[in-house]
Amino acid sequence: MATAVVTTTTAARAATTTEPGASRGGVDGDPAAAASYDQGVALERRTILVVEDEQTIRDPLAAALSREGFGVEIAATAEEALELAARMDPDLILLDLMLPDGSGYDVCREVRRTAETPVIMLTARGEETDRIVGLELGADDYVVKPFSAREVIARVRAVLRRSEPRAASGREGGPLEVGPLRVDPERRSAELDGEPIELSRKEFELLERLMRDAGTVITREQLIEDVWDMNWFGSTKTLDVHVSSLRKKLGENPDTPRFLHTVRGVGFRFSAPGELDT
């Protein structure tokens, strides 16, 4: 199949002749929307794959990303998205849920089979169920249409910061063990009773963060800051979704949890190793 790839030059030129936000959802293509530059992110010409079939959304968004120093490639269908993702290995994927030849959920699922590429979903659906499905499939974040270019770029930078290699973060590695649960941050692997557990990127980072301070209550705000980003401005329900999914994968009974305890009005506490021996 001949893949229709739109480069940033083409997208930027098209954006000058397109009315931003004229279709479903829409995006604010105002140049001022992407004016601020986050010095905390070393972009190094990061490449973003924008998967969106609506030209009036994707072209202003691609132009805004290009102005901020990102390289941009565009796919308009699920098939093109998978082909480009495999070939170009992008640093992040902005993924529309409603594509002409399939669902963004399916694209996310396929990408997650072979890569840990960060994914931000773009959706016209604001229902909690849709967000939960995307997050459980391994998406790192979601943006509900209509959105501004400023919001999307801020989220792109936040997700890229969180996906930086561990060596750059300065945090110590080394396996973590609580009873029959073992997490190896260097290998990004988790085992329960010797059996591997399949975790999404954020589920793994959340579990690691909780286990590093096992026995200590960690506030919701601190978990959001450490696992997502200190500038996170999405719904805190994202944390609840990941906690719920993590409990299922650990085989937890929410009423009588063995590992992950809710401290109402405060946050969460992971059982200390000694607690499981008693």
Side-chain angles (χ1 to χ4, degrees), residues 51-173:
V51 184
E52 169 63 67
D53 63 311
E54 281 288 327
Q55 183 178 4
T56 51
I57 295 176
R58 71 176 183 239
D59 287 352
L61 181 56
L65 287 164
S66 180
R67 284 194 299 270
E68 289 297 302
F70 293 98
V72 182
E73 296 288 350
I74 290 177
T77 67
E79 185 177 1
E80 291 170 3
L82 291 173
E83 182 178 333
L84 276 174
R87 176 159 56 85
M88 63 180 283
D89 189 22
D91 294 290
L92 183 142
I93 300 174
L94 288 171
L95 177 60
D96 184 26
L97 283 185
M98 301 174 64
L99 298 169
D101 61 337
S103 167
Y105 293 140
D106 295 330
V107 174
C108 185
R109 185 182 293 108
E110 287 301 314
V111 168
R112 279 288 170 266
R113 290 183 190 276
T114 57
E116 286 293 316
T117 307
V119 175
I120 299 178
M121 289 188 164
L122 310 176
T123 174
R125 306 170 180 174
E127 291 81 4
E128 182 174 311
T129 301
D130 295 310
R131 299 196 298 267
I132 289 174
V133 171
L135 292 170
E136 288 187 339
L137 285 174
D140 295 86
D141 196 2
Y142 58 87
V143 184
V144 178
K145 300 175 184 178
F147 50 71
S148 68
R150 181 183 310 194
E151 177 185 9
V152 175
I153 290 170
R155 290 179 182 268
V156 165
R157 287 186 177 133
V159 170
L160 286 174
R161 274 196 297 269
R162 298 308 307 171
S163 61
E164 285 293 309
R166 180 167 305 280
S169 71
R171 284 164 47 178
E172 296 181 359

